[in-house]
Amino acid sequence: MEKLLIKGGRVVDPSSSTDAVLDVLVEGNKIVLIGKDIEGEGFQVVDAGGKLVFPGLVDMHVHLREPGQEHKETIESGTRSAAAGGFTTIACMPNTDPVIDTPAMVEYIKLKAEKAGYVKVKPVAAITKGLKGEELSPIGELVQYGAVAFSDDGRPVMNSRVMRRAMEYSSMWDVPIISHCEDTDLSGDGHMNEGEMSTVLGMRGIPAIAEEVMVARDIAIARFTGARVHIAHVSTAGSVELVRRAKAEGVRVTAEATPHHFSLTDRDVDGYSTNTKVNPPLRTYEDVEAVKQGLRDGTIDAIATDHAPHHRDDKEVEYAVAAFGISGLETALSLAVTNLLNSGILTPIQLAERMSTAPARILGIEAGCLKEGGTADITVIDPDIEYVVDVNAFKSKGKNSPFDGMSVRGKAVYTIVDGIIKNI
Ligand SMILES: [Zn+2]
């Protein structure tokens, strides 16, 4: 059996409140020992001195594009990108073609991901058939085949009666509904955040309330049904406050924020780079500060990329007609280290919680901890390494990143899945 000794790293495990310099011994696909100064022979030794040893990172919001848009990304390229970014498990969204709304499609994704062999992939299935917002998918059956959550992400479930039924069914299996909160009557055909900048740039805006009224609605439906709702890509100060109050009240709501929503503002749209076009849009400085505060106090449970790779043809066009989305798997960790860890907003243990333990818990999957006898999914991070983001070096087919050329700190040096190093 292969043996791997991760030596002298700062081992951070939120599930056991561990934050100490320790060695981690891996045999086969299991962690067999965590302790001080582990000795022995026949190991492959990973020198983790000065590095952070985290439970493998979990990204609960990824668009893999396959099947249907393989020119943008494939399960192979997307999972390779995930490994490069330090993720050992990702959950993929169902807005593919065909949509993931049948057991056969859930099986297809699982098989393709296993064949690619980079990281673990957990399918999120559609709330409604064909993402049409009308008829519910066979939720119970999809859970049995391995769907870990339900979402029509990319679009909202506008019909409140359908959302009520979805939450009633999902609560029978205790799986979360992941809500893309957008009132499309309010967002209309806006291209960026509605505010001073959209006026200056002469672009139609998407108001904060387009998100907030739906966050409020879904919290109300979750309160009424007792179901679990997870708010995807929280982007406004108002949404953070709604989630904070609902949690205090005991509503079963969780939330995620993306690296771009805690790293950029609508001022970055100046220059009209279509790589800043994303849904929900980049918001104001005050919103970014509120999202950071939400991540700090735990109102926002998880960091998720909303990795949305696009082909050049979808982005090298006028801002108004460009596709929404950012290729995010390979910059997420660096942005979190640079903008949250190094600036003291999150401690290492909080960062591991937001990027691993919490998303695993929300999805109800076995991941997000480092323990003896547990699966050896581990991410070794160099928090000090400084580099310039180069989209041409991305493993993802999607080169659409507003961070290209930006100097950042922190990178996954080893992504270990089932005891095997996957990012080299
Ligand atoms: Zn979305």
Side-chain angles (χ1 to χ4, degrees):
M1 219 182 309
E2 290 281 321
K3 288 186 185 178
L4 191 66
L5 181 62
I6 304 162
K7 197 138 188 67
R10 182 171 171 185
V11 174
V12 178
D13 176 33
S15 75
S16 58
S17 304
T18 303
D19 182 353
V21 174
L22 295 165
D23 298 343
V24 179
L25 179 63
V26 173
E27 266 184 43
N29 66 346
K30 297 276 186 230
I31 295 171
V32 292
L33 196 60
I34 300 174
K36 280 199 184 302
D37 304 316
I38 297 174
E39 300 284 345
E41 282 180 6
F43 308 142
Q44 181 190 348
V45 178
V46 167
D47 177 12
K51 314 277 196 295
L52 297 165
V53 179
F54 274 22
L57 304 183
V58 177
D59 186 354
M60 62 183 300
H61 193 145
V62 174
H63 296 276
L64 287 175
R65 305 299 191 206
E66 184 180 355
Q69 293 190 303
E70 287 86 350
H71 63 296
K72 296 189 181 192
E73 193 81 288
T74 60
I75 291 170
E76 160 100 23
S77 65
T79 52
R80 193 167 172 222
S81 171
F87 296 97
T88 58
T89 299
I90 59 175
C92 65
M93 286 296 169
N95 62 337
T96 48
D97 184 15
V99 168
I100 308 175
D101 58 4
T102 60
M105 279 302 299
V106 172
E107 287 282 285
Y108 173 86
I109 301 291
K110 283 171 20 188
L111 283 172
K112 273 270 183 167
E114 255 171 59
K115 202 168 154 230
Y118 288 105
V119 305
K120 295 170 184 175
V121 176
K122 305 290 179 185
V124 176
I127 297 171
T128 64
K129 286 183 182 167
L131 306 176
K132 290 200 174 79
E134 294 158 5
E135 201 186 334
L136 289 186
S137 305
I139 289 177
E141 199 183 354
L142 290 162
V143 170
Q144 280 161 23
Y145 277 82
V148 292
F150 291 84
S151 185
D152 277 5
D153 185 61
R155 55 179 78 165
V157 175
M158 282 295 286
N159 185 320
S160 306
R161 180 175 47 82
V162 172
M163 193 53 132
R164 173 193 172 174
R165 294 281 175 244
M167 286 202 209
E168 284 171 347
Y169 278 107
S170 65
S171 66
M172 287 158 67
W173 290 274
D174 201 34
V175 288
I177 293 286
I178 301 176
S179 181
H180 169 113
C181 289
E182 176 186 358
D183 182 320
T184 52
D185 294 315
L186 283 166
S187 56
D189 61 348
H191 312 304
M192 65 175 292
N193 181 53
E194 180 183 304
E196 200 188 315
M197 276 313 286
S198 64
T199 306
V200 168
L201 297 174
M203 279 201 276
R204 257 195 294 274
I206 300 171
I209 52 166
E211 176 173 316
E212 291 158 6
V213 296
M214 291 297 259
V215 173
R217 182 202 73 169
D218 288 346
I219 285 170
I221 301 175
R223 181 192 292 118
F224 178 75
T225 57
R228 286 207 286 142
V229 68
H230 176 80
I231 310 298
H233 41 55
V234 165
S235 75
T236 79
S239 297
V240 176
E241 191 51 32
L242 285 164
V243 173
R244 185 177 284 124
R245 286 190 207 161
K247 282 188 165 183
E249 225 191 288
V251 178
R252 300 175 78 203
V253 58
T254 53
E256 72 189 28
T258 72
H260 45 271
H261 287 119
F262 65 67
S263 300
L264 299 175
T265 71
D266 59 355
R267 294 193 172 273
D268 293 295
V269 179
D270 197 358
Y272 301 95
S273 164
T274 56
N275 286 329
T276 62
K277 188 174 177 184
V278 65
N279 187 18
L282 301 175
R283 302 288 189 181
T284 66
Y285 174 81
E286 288 71 26
D287 293 310
V288 170
E289 289 304 302
V291 167
K292 287 184 182 174
Q293 190 51 43
L295 282 162
R296 185 186 174 97
D297 69 19
T299 298
I300 301 175
D301 305 78
I303 293 168
T305 63
D306 193 6
H307 177 73
H310 284 293
H311 190 263
R312 278 167 44 204
D313 294 351
D314 304 305
K315 284 290 194 179
E316 289 180 1
V317 289
E318 257 180 83
Y319 205 93
V321 295
F324 288 100
I326 289 171
S327 179
L329 282 168
E330 287 164 79
T331 48
L333 177 61
S334 304
L335 293 167
V337 169
T338 306
N339 297 325
L340 303 176
L341 188 68
N342 288 352
S343 57
I345 289 166
L346 297 185
T347 62
I349 210 153
Q350 285 173 319
L351 182 63
E353 166 78 22
R354 306 283 177 266
M355 294 193 79
S356 176
T357 312
R361 185 170 56 234
I362 294 164
L363 297 174
I365 58 172
E366 213 184 300
C369 67
L370 293 173
K371 61 169 190 242
E372 291 174 1
T375 305
D377 290 347
I378 304 164
T379 304
V380 182
I381 300 160
D382 184 340
D384 300 316
I385 199 167
E386 194 169 353
Y387 72 101
V388 174
V389 175
D390 174 10
V391 292
N392 295 311
F394 279 7
K395 309 295 182 203
S396 170
K397 285 193 185 184
K399 312 298 179 193
N400 49 306
S401 170
F403 303 105
D404 189 35
M406 195 177 279
S407 183
V408 290
R409 281 180 102 117
K411 206 175 176 65
V413 283
Y414 297 103
T415 306
I416 300 164
V417 181
D418 281 331
I420 299 166
I421 298 168
K422 292 289 186 180
N423 62 325
I424 47 175

